[in-house]
Amino acid sequence: MFSKEIQSALNEQINSEFLAWYTYLAMSSYFKSVNLNGFARWMGKQAQREMAHAMKIYEFLHEREAPVGFNSISEPAVDWRSPLDAISEAYRREQESSGRINDLVDLAMKNRAHATNTFLQWFVNEQVEEEARLRAIVKKLELVGDDRYGLFLIDRDLR
């Protein structure tokens, strides 16, 4: 068992992961609506990853016999000005998620919750990968600017 503070923070993270899932699913839908099927497929996979993250924490809480709480999930945007705008938002979300994960690690260390700290290290490493993937796409989109052929090539590469 662990502290109520850690329990609460992990439950907040579950809901944050659900919000990311919902947002990335909305982004996938946006990309489908503008006929960028590579982006849509890629964001759909990102949405699935976020759901898997939430479920990983869910299972950890149950293994520790801690209650799982579910909060309302905010309605995500459904339209973006451009693919760069959508991917940049996803990148910012991942940076924020990294900050929350780091805060959870700090909390686990402060509370000497070694099992929680060990569990969270997977998320620390995952966030490095998530940020790197999105940063690479943002940089490619910035590089091609308004060039539709460049956008087509990035979309094709994401399939």
Side-chain angles (χ1 to χ4, degrees):
M1 198 65 170
F2 40 58
S3 75
K4 296 284 186 200
E5 186 179 20
I6 291 176
Q7 221 173 271
S8 176
L10 287 171
N11 273 297
E12 286 177 29
Q13 188 61 32
I14 286 176
N15 283 286
S16 176
E17 300 290 348
F18 282 142
L19 176 58
W21 162 75
Y22 207 32
T23 301
Y24 293 173
L25 195 59
M27 286 179 180
S28 178
S29 180
Y30 158 74
F31 286 124
K32 281 182 188 246
S33 74
V34 295
N35 204 33
L36 290 171
N37 295 320
F39 279 93
R41 184 177 156 275
W42 193 86
M43 284 309 299
K45 284 183 178 181
Q46 291 307 112
Q48 290 171 356
R49 291 172 70 105
E50 298 304 324
M51 178 60 74
H53 296 170
M55 295 308 297
K56 190 172 187 81
I57 299 168
Y58 168 91
E59 291 298 337
F60 180 73
L61 284 167
H62 278 290
E63 287 171 2
R64 306 289 294 179
E65 296 183 332
V68 175
F70 297 95
N71 297 327
S72 297
I73 301 172
S74 303
E75 185 176 321
V78 294
D79 196 24
W80 286 265
R81 291 179 305 215
S82 68
L84 176 58
D85 189 41
I87 295 295
S88 293
E89 180 183 332
Y91 179 49
R92 282 189 303 277
R93 285 184 172 280
E94 291 303 328
Q95 289 174 313
E96 290 168 6
S97 184
S98 294
R100 283 190 306 277
I101 295 296
N102 290 337
D103 291 344
L104 280 167
V105 169
D106 290 344
L107 182 62
M109 290 170 54
K110 179 184 123 190
N111 284 271
R112 298 179 45 89
H114 302 293
T116 303
N117 182 34
T118 299
F119 170 74
L120 290 170
Q121 294 309 306
W122 181 89
F123 288 91
V124 171
N125 294 323
E126 178 73 3
Q127 284 308 122
V128 170
E129 293 174 22
E130 299 277 352
E131 283 188 43
R133 278 193 293 269
L134 282 159
R135 183 175 47 251
I137 297 170
V138 166
K139 288 183 179 282
K140 285 178 184 177
L141 287 169
E142 289 172 343
L143 186 64
V144 301
D146 292 331
D147 181 356
R148 291 183 181 266
Y149 296 110
L151 180 62
F152 169 77
L153 291 174
I154 296 169
D155 184 62
R156 186 188 68 188
D157 287 347
L158 290 174
R159 288 184 186 259

